[in-house]
Amino acid sequence: MSELVLPGLADVHTHLRVPGGEHKEDFQTGTAAALAGGITTILAMPNTSPPLATPEIIHATYEQAQAGTRCELGLFAGASPEHIEHLPALAPYAVALKIYLNDTFGSLRVEDVPTLMACFRTWPREKMIAMHAEKQSVAVGIGLATAFDRPVHFCHISRREEIELIATAKAHGLPITCEVTPHHLYLTQEDAARLGALGDMRPVLGTKSDVAALWEHINDTIDCVATDHAPHTLAEKASEKVPPGVPGLETSLALLLTAVHHNRLTLDRLIELMASNPRRIYGLAEPPDTKVVVEMAPYTLSNEGLQTKCGWTPFAGMEVVGRVKEVVLRGKVVMENGRILAAPGSGTVLV
Ligand code: NCD
Ligand code: ZN
Ligand code: ZN
């Protein structure tokens, strides 16, 4: 069976649930899941409870991240109208700012122009602004990037209309970038019907045409693949009020390597999408002496043996090619044949 050696991957969209959701995931389990998936650098989202929108909360979370992380990890600060005057004070603890323009899990939302203007005026120019923007909200984000002449990164783009709008804006030289998730590349509304609550996430799974559009743009418009690892417990998924979101850290590399195996993607492009581009967008240095060793063997994804605290994957039963055998981070073997060797707190918190 052939072996591949890849750089440490960077996943710029994860939810590690600290504070307030530690029964779903925490820094120790989430970063173990990252290493199991060949990912050595992750960025964690601020839609926690309470959210990472005040200096006290983000500072305390930064310290918990330092104590718990097994890999490289950076936090997002969250934009919220109630705390908007604190934005510059959040920056020392965060890699980037996240703005939620549409409905999703958690309380963070920005729906008024004065708050959006304050974000673009007061967030440090050298740090990225990322957006959860769906449908026409993408146009709002492009407008703000243009008006303030500063970069905007669009999270989990999933619809044909969105990727085509972004392609048009990029053709005009506007400073925007975007990510897509493995679940939007691999699953459709038909899978949502089969999976029920386990297939519910924001943005919702798309039509066949939406999925086809993402693959059409995989070699140009799309800058990176990010998991949007959004763990919720099976009990929560079985409840009346289903929280949207699916885990993804331990399955994304295998899914994308399967596309390489089927000649839908080159290995060079996979490395751009999962390592070099995400680091370039967020200004993250590549860790030295770091590698991921993969065996290009076929196997079936399953809920057994996962590191994520939620213990399930929407891809259970799917045949893939590409198993992570070993991960070396900064000269140390941190994962070997499914065993996590990096201790909590041995990683680094990036800002
Ligand atoms: C995310 C979550 O659970 O925090 N859920 C989701 O469906 N993607 C929030 C988000 O990324 O929008
Ligand atoms: Zn989102
Ligand atoms: Zn998310």
Side-chain angles (χ1 to χ4, degrees):
M1 223 43 92
S2 69
E3 212 173 72
L4 296 177
V5 180
L6 307 175
L9 305 182
D11 181 355
V12 294
H13 191 150
T14 71
H15 299 268
L16 299 198
R17 307 306 191 195
V18 181
E22 292 87 348
H23 62 289
K24 303 172 196 272
E25 199 78 284
D26 60 33
F27 288 119
Q28 300 193 20
T29 58
T31 57
L35 293 177
I39 296 160
T40 58
T41 306
I42 62 178
L43 297 185
M45 286 294 166
N47 63 333
T48 50
S49 24
L52 308 187
T54 59
E56 297 71 32
I57 299 296
I58 199 169
H59 180 234
T61 306
Y62 178 91
E63 297 204 323
Q64 281 181 279
Q66 249 168 0
T69 188
R70 303 175 197 262
C71 65
E72 300 201 325
L73 181 151
L75 299 174
F76 277 92
S80 113
E82 306 86 75
H83 303 295
I84 201 66
E85 75 280 6
H86 294 307
L87 223 45
L90 306 181
Y93 305 103
V95 165
L97 176 69
K98 177 70 179 281
I99 307 178
Y100 290 87
L101 282 86
N102 298 95
D103 231 41
T104 187
F105 183 72
S107 61
L108 284 178
R109 217 71 82 233
V110 177
E111 289 168 325
D112 66 287
V113 172
T115 303
L116 289 171
M117 302 248 307
C119 290
F120 278 75
R121 281 208 178 107
T122 68
W123 184 249
R125 279 193 93 83
E126 68 277 10
K127 295 198 178 195
M128 183 55 85
I129 296 179
M131 290 186 176
H132 177 130
E134 300 188 38
K135 300 182 177 177
Q136 63 266 45
S137 297
V138 175
V140 172
I142 293 170
L144 288 162
T146 310
F148 287 88
D149 189 24
R150 61 179 293 175
V152 167
H153 178 74
F154 291 100
C155 300
H156 49 44
I157 287 301
S158 66
R159 294 177 180 88
R160 178 176 285 280
E161 67 196 49
E162 295 163 355
I163 199 67
E164 289 181 350
L165 179 58
I166 288 172
T168 307
K170 281 188 164 197
H172 282 82
L174 298 177
I176 58 173
T177 51
C178 72
E179 75 196 25
V180 298
T181 70
H183 48 270
H184 291 117
L185 284 171
Y186 278 92
L187 303 175
T188 67
Q189 289 172 351
E190 282 173 29
D191 298 290
R194 169 177 64 84
L195 289 163
L198 300 188
D200 185 21
M201 79 290 285
R202 300 293 173 277
V204 297
L205 292 173
T207 63
K208 283 207 168 87
S209 166
D210 291 324
V211 174
L214 299 184
W215 283 103
E216 284 161 27
H217 287 268
I218 198 85
N219 287 321
D220 42 44
T221 315
I222 294 167
D223 295 282
C224 55
V225 169
T227 62
D228 191 10
H229 177 80
H232 298 288
T233 66
L234 285 171
E236 289 164 339
K237 283 295 202 180
S239 71
E240 202 112 298
K241 205 174 172 297
V242 175
V246 295
L249 280 167
E250 289 162 270
T251 47
S252 67
L253 177 56
L255 288 165
L256 273 291
L257 281 171
T258 303
V260 172
H261 180 73
H262 292 132
N263 296 318
R264 302 182 80 185
L265 194 68
T266 67
L267 186 61
D268 284 349
R269 184 61 185 159
L270 180 149
I271 292 167
E272 286 174 6
L273 291 167
M274 301 186 84
S276 30
N277 286 352
R279 288 202 172 90
R280 177 179 46 78
I281 290 166
Y282 284 97
L284 311 171
E286 188 175 340
D289 303 318
T290 297
K291 65 172 181 179
V292 174
V293 182
V294 173
E295 188 185 41
M296 286 303 275
Y299 66 105
T300 307
L301 294 175
S302 109
N303 295 329
E304 304 302 315
L306 294 171
Q307 298 289 340
T308 175
K309 208 180 265 190
C310 75
W312 61 276
T313 164
F315 298 106
M318 197 175 276
E319 298 289 330
V320 293
V321 176
R323 192 192 287 280
V324 183
K325 302 295 288 179
E326 187 190 43
V327 180
V328 177
L329 174 57
R330 294 178 179 273
K332 292 210 173 75
V333 180
V334 287
M335 197 287 282
E336 198 170 35
N337 295 321
R339 282 178 51 230
I340 304 299
L341 304 175
S346 60
T348 325
V349 182
L350 311 168
V351 286

